[in-house]
Amino acid sequence: MYFPSWLSQLYRGLSRPIRRTTQPIWGSLYRSLLQSSQRRIPEFSSFVVRTNTCGELRSSHLGQEVTLCGWIQYRRQNTFLVLRDFDGLVQVIIPQDESAASVKKILCEAPVESVVQVSGTVISRPAGQENPKMPTGEIEIKVKTAELLNACKKLPFEIKDFVKKTEALRLQYRYLDLRSFQMQYNLRLRSQMVMKMREYLCNLHGFVDIETPTLFKRTPGGAKEFLVPSREPGKFYSLPQSPQQFKQLLMVGGLDRYFQVARCYRDEGSRPDRQPEFTQIDIEMSFVDQTGIQSLIEGLLQYSWPNDKDPVVVPFPTMTFAEALATYGTDKPDTRFGMKIIDISDVFRNTEIGFLQDALSKPHGTVKAICIPEGAKYLKRKDIESIRKFAADHFNQEILPVFLNANRNWNSPVANFIMESQRLELIRLMETQEEDVVLLTAGEHNKACSLLGKLRLECADLLETRGVVLRDPTLFSFLWVVDFPLFLPKEENPRELESAHHPFTAPHPSDIHLLYTEPKKARSQHYDLVLNGNEIGGGSIRIHNAELQRYILATLLKEDVKMLSHLLQALDYGAPPHGGIALGLDRLICLVTGSPSIRDVIAFPKSFRGHDLMSNTPDSVPPEELKPYHIRVSRPTDSKAERAH
């Protein structure tokens, strides 16, 4: 049974700035929940020794006797200190009279960041000494009793947001880093958004929250998985990259609507937007199409979006994979700014420039360009040289910078071969202004677009470091990218195919016949959700026909179907049509909070190399502890010694 009315009231209350009322709110929980006209306020001081939090006291509390617990943030001249807890700061007056000598001794001698408990009266600050920058700036606490709960040793760094610390130091002392305002904000906002997602999915739309195993079997293709040894000789579990197979099996089992805040694992190096262990909002539905999944996710994000951000506007725009690549050079375009890729092949059909001629003479050859606004003003000669070197080193492509003012064509004598008529046509097509710079390249369509897509972002970064505002940091630009290819040629062997996403993705209904004739041309029913140039979610309509799934695995992908026999068998027992999606929770929260790395929105993340610097993990295990798993470690020094003999 669902109670959307009172639960939505409750969660709307949770989403607002949290402050206690002066009135006690104890009473029957059931009665409180049913009184939907009254919003329930979270009780932060229930079950604990304090009466109030440091951040909630106001002028309305004047005269009240309170007990507070927290950390000493700051102390001045042994006359007052600032006490901090998760909810904020409050000023505490250290008593100076002889009768309170023991209280003064505790509060004056306790090191900064020590944990103390104080009791006293809420009083007004003297006139003219109010602090408008502090929510509690109109009051202070006149202390009567104090207790040192735990003294703090010398800190490796100050607990202040403006104090710069290296990331390695922050991760080594993560428990101290967590005390900072920014980390508190990030983790609390993450918790709040997840709670509202649960409310939206379970209580408003009938989803079932189901935990799936984290010990499973190795699956073919995709990212590398962590192996976990078992006590059976030579047999291993695998930590799943995602609950993909389980969620499909739940649909076969008739659960109809599943979701999970799922822990996932990939044995890959850590990057600013990736971790070896990460969290997904994992969702699957039966009897759904692509439009249904997209509408669900738009509603989910709109419902759970923080109140201190601009509201999410739905529906999100949609773009095909081919359009995204042709216009932005990537399948995850940042649509907050222009600098779009323009096809200018027709301008140079009769050119005398050699590398343009060569490109246009080939079947898929094109000439593409992007316009850098006011590039002549902000780009230096070394920037142009760096751009050309990047194109040559990473794409084996040539970049031709074209300045509208011919005197500025640095290191680009070939630009002199651009005829005046071509220059004028460029200005018309690119809609350029006098100070703009056009970056032009030629080659195979996908390669030319990918290069310009990279340069588009590089140049945007460069311009913004020099004061140009291209991307509004307060803007959240969502985009659906659809109609991906179903297969891609393998890098190591282009004659063979691999799944563009995963082998359970259903082909586009119009392209099923291509699976048996030209599978490389088949589109998929896959969809990615992009936010500000970052993929934050991906999903698909699944293959629910066992025969089609077996054909794709065995014939097209040449995978060992025995590894997936349980799934193929399940599909043969009346699997409903189904589809789903997974949102990358860490990446989503990172973008919402404006954090530079997903490590800033995870309580205990791994380092760039995938290590836990706090506990020094991964760590070695003594040989005797490995014996039950029939494992012997061969170290690099051992193999060298063997070769020497």
Side-chain angles (χ1 to χ4, degrees):
M1 186 179 293
Y2 302 98
F3 301 93
S5 58
W6 61 257
L7 272 170
S8 59
Q9 289 279 345
L10 173 62
Y11 276 79
R12 278 201 296 274
L14 284 173
S15 71
R16 282 163 168 72
I18 298 165
R19 292 286 176 264
R20 288 178 61 212
T21 61
T22 55
Q23 300 299 319
I25 58 171
W26 291 107
S28 165
L29 175 63
Y30 180 74
R31 187 172 64 251
S32 297
L33 290 174
L34 290 184
Q35 289 171 347
S36 58
S37 60
Q38 297 179 358
R39 184 171 293 114
R40 183 168 175 78
I41 308 298
E43 176 54 84
F44 286 138
S45 295
S46 52
F47 317 117
V48 294
V49 294
R50 65 175 180 243
T51 61
N52 299 82
T53 63
C54 295
E56 73 174 296
L57 298 174
R58 300 289 186 273
S59 296
S60 57
H61 296 86
L62 287 174
Q64 288 190 16
E65 298 295 314
V66 297
T67 297
L68 307 176
C69 299
W71 287 262
I72 298 174
Q73 168 100 350
Y74 173 77
R75 181 170 46 230
R76 192 172 75 184
Q77 299 173 343
N78 287 345
T79 57
F80 72 84
L81 60 80
V82 173
L83 195 65
R84 183 194 76 243
D85 65 10
F86 74 92
D87 195 33
L89 308 169
V90 68
Q91 183 165 289
V92 172
I93 301 301
I94 300 173
Q96 302 297 313
D97 47 299
E98 196 67 34
S99 61
S102 60
V103 174
K104 180 178 180 180
K105 180 179 171 64
I106 290 171
L107 296 181
C108 290
E109 293 182 1
V112 169
E113 288 301 313
S114 294
V115 190
V116 297
Q117 176 180 318
V118 299
S119 296
T121 309
V122 181
I123 62 173
S124 293
R125 291 200 189 189
Q129 295 186 23
E130 299 89 350
N131 185 350
K133 295 180 180 178
M134 285 177 66
T136 60
E138 294 181 352
I139 59 95
E140 55 193 7
I141 309 300
K142 184 179 179 180
V143 175
K144 294 179 181 176
T145 64
E147 182 182 351
L148 176 63
L149 300 178
N150 208 335
C152 180
K153 291 184 177 181
K154 185 177 179 180
L155 295 165
F157 53 79
E158 290 186 85
I159 314 295
K160 292 175 181 173
D161 285 287
F162 61 82
V163 175
K164 298 296 181 186
K165 291 93 64 177
T166 64
E167 185 174 67
L169 194 64
R170 290 177 59 205
L171 294 181
Q172 184 181 353
Y173 296 96
R174 189 59 161 185
Y175 42 84
L176 296 178
D177 190 44
L178 290 174
R179 294 184 190 175
S180 70
F181 167 80
Q182 192 60 57
M183 286 302 303
Q184 290 274 324
Y185 172 80
N186 291 352
L187 294 179
R188 290 177 187 282
L189 182 137
R190 177 181 176 130
S191 170
Q192 183 185 86
M193 287 187 69
V194 170
M195 281 294 292
K196 294 183 78 175
M197 287 178 177
R198 290 184 186 278
E199 151 72 359
Y200 181 83
L201 291 168
C202 290
N203 295 93
L204 301 185
H205 292 286
F207 280 78
V208 186
D209 184 354
I210 301 176
E211 296 176 357
T212 56
T214 51
L215 290 176
F216 193 42
K217 70 181 295 181
R218 190 171 62 86
T219 51
K224 290 182 181 179
E225 295 170 334
F226 286 99
L227 295 178
V228 180
S230 76
R231 292 176 182 266
E232 295 185 46
K235 294 192 176 180
F236 295 81
Y237 296 106
S238 179
L239 300 182
Q241 306 170 38
S242 77
Q244 181 61 47
Q245 294 181 55
F246 293 115
K247 63 201 279 187
Q248 291 193 245
L249 294 170
L250 288 168
M251 296 305 101
V252 178
L255 267 296
D256 195 74
R257 296 184 172 203
Y258 142 92
F259 103 97
Q260 180 182 189
V261 182
R263 299 294 288 164
C264 306
Y265 308 88
R266 289 180 185 170
D267 189 6
E268 299 174 339
S270 204
R271 296 199 303 232
D273 64 345
R274 190 165 292 178
Q275 283 269 294
E277 51 183 335
F278 55 97
T279 307
Q280 291 180 345
I281 303 297
D282 200 53
I283 295 170
E284 198 80 5
M285 299 172 71
S286 294
F287 312 109
V288 72
D289 60 11
Q290 183 169 312
T291 304
I293 296 287
Q294 290 174 321
S295 297
L296 170 79
I297 295 304
E298 289 169 359
L300 175 71
L301 288 169
Q302 192 176 45
Y303 188 89
S304 61
W305 203 247
N307 284 351
D308 61 350
K309 312 292 180 189
D310 289 338
V312 171
V313 178
V314 299
F316 302 154
T318 298
M319 185 180 294
T320 66
F321 168 79
E323 184 185 353
L325 185 65
T327 310
Y328 296 98
T330 177
D331 60 359
K332 46 185 178 183
D334 190 339
T335 53
R336 288 176 296 171
F337 68 108
M339 290 170 59
K340 295 179 182 179
I341 299 169
I342 307 291
D343 191 313
I344 54 171
S345 302
D346 290 342
V347 178
F348 293 99
R349 291 293 175 195
N350 300 314
T351 185
E352 296 178 19
I353 301 173
F355 88 97
L356 301 183
Q357 279 182 337
D358 291 344
L360 291 173
S361 66
K362 293 172 183 172
H364 298 288
T366 61
V367 182
K368 305 278 187 182
I370 58 173
C371 176
I372 314 299
E374 297 189 279
K377 181 178 175 182
Y378 292 104
L379 297 181
K380 300 178 174 63
R381 184 189 297 265
K382 66 176 182 180
D383 298 325
I384 297 296
E385 291 170 355
S386 176
I387 285 169
R388 300 187 74 178
K389 186 175 186 304
F390 175 86
D393 292 349
H394 295 274
F395 287 82
N396 195 25
Q397 292 265 114
E398 188 168 352
I399 280 285
L400 176 61
V402 179
F403 294 78
L404 300 184
N405 181 347
N407 296 329
R408 299 292 296 278
N409 280 308
W410 302 315
N411 283 4
S412 184
V414 74
N416 296 328
F417 289 94
I418 296 178
M419 296 180 289
E420 184 61 23
S421 60
Q422 292 171 334
R423 188 185 297 275
L424 292 173
E425 184 63 9
L426 263 183
I427 292 171
R428 187 188 70 80
L429 278 175
M430 306 292 297
E431 298 180 353
T432 54
Q433 305 295 319
E434 188 176 348
E435 289 290 300
D436 296 348
V437 173
V438 173
L439 296 182
L440 181 154
T441 192
E444 189 271 329
H445 172 78
N446 287 3
K447 196 173 177 183
C449 289
S450 295
L451 168 58
L452 290 177
K454 292 276 188 188
L455 292 181
R456 174 179 180 265
L457 296 175
E458 291 288 331
C459 290
D461 290 342
L462 200 59
L463 290 178
E464 289 190 331
T465 61
R466 288 167 191 171
V468 181
V469 180
L470 285 176
R471 296 168 287 198
D472 181 353
T474 65
L475 179 65
F476 293 94
S477 182
F478 288 95
L479 175 73
W480 288 109
V481 179
V482 301
D483 288 353
F484 285 84
L486 187 59
F487 305 111
L488 295 172
K490 283 185 176 178
E491 266 189 50
E492 63 274 15
N493 185 359
R495 291 185 178 181
E496 293 185 3
L497 297 176
E498 63 182 3
S499 295
H501 289 93
H502 60 61
F504 315 115
T505 303
H508 195 286
S510 305
D511 294 355
I512 291 178
H513 66 283
L514 293 174
L515 298 179
Y516 309 97
T517 55
E518 298 177 281
K520 287 183 181 179
K521 293 184 178 179
R523 293 168 297 163
S524 70
Q525 291 191 70
H526 179 93
Y527 31 85
D528 275 353
L529 182 59
V530 176
L531 173 58
N532 294 356
N534 297 269
E535 180 200 329
I536 61 161
S540 66
I541 301 302
R542 322 300 186 188
I543 299 167
H544 67 280
N545 178 280
E547 186 180 341
L548 177 59
Q549 183 68 82
R550 192 175 286 108
Y551 173 77
I552 286 177
L553 286 168
T555 307
L556 297 182
L557 299 177
K558 297 180 171 43
E559 298 283 4
D560 182 2
V561 294
K562 290 179 182 177
M563 297 182 72
L564 293 167
S565 58
H566 56 285
L567 178 63
L568 292 168
Q569 186 179 55
L571 296 180
D572 259 331
Y573 290 136
H578 58 283
I581 193 169
L583 295 179
L585 181 64
D586 310 304
R587 201 173 297 177
L588 173 63
I589 304 297
C590 180
L591 292 168
V592 171
T593 58
S595 301
S597 163
I598 61 169
R599 290 188 282 278
D600 288 335
V601 298
I602 300 172
F604 296 99
K606 301 294 187 287
S607 72
F608 187 78
R609 295 179 57 202
H611 291 183
D612 181 347
L613 302 182
M614 185 178 62
S615 64
N616 196 27
T617 307
D619 201 358
S620 56
V621 176
E624 59 271 19
E625 292 186 25
L626 291 175
K627 279 184 180 178
Y629 302 103
H630 311 280
I631 290 175
R632 188 178 69 180
V633 176
S634 175
R635 304 184 190 281
T637 51
D638 298 339
S639 56
K640 286 179 184 177
E642 287 174 11
R643 285 198 299 271
H645 289 289

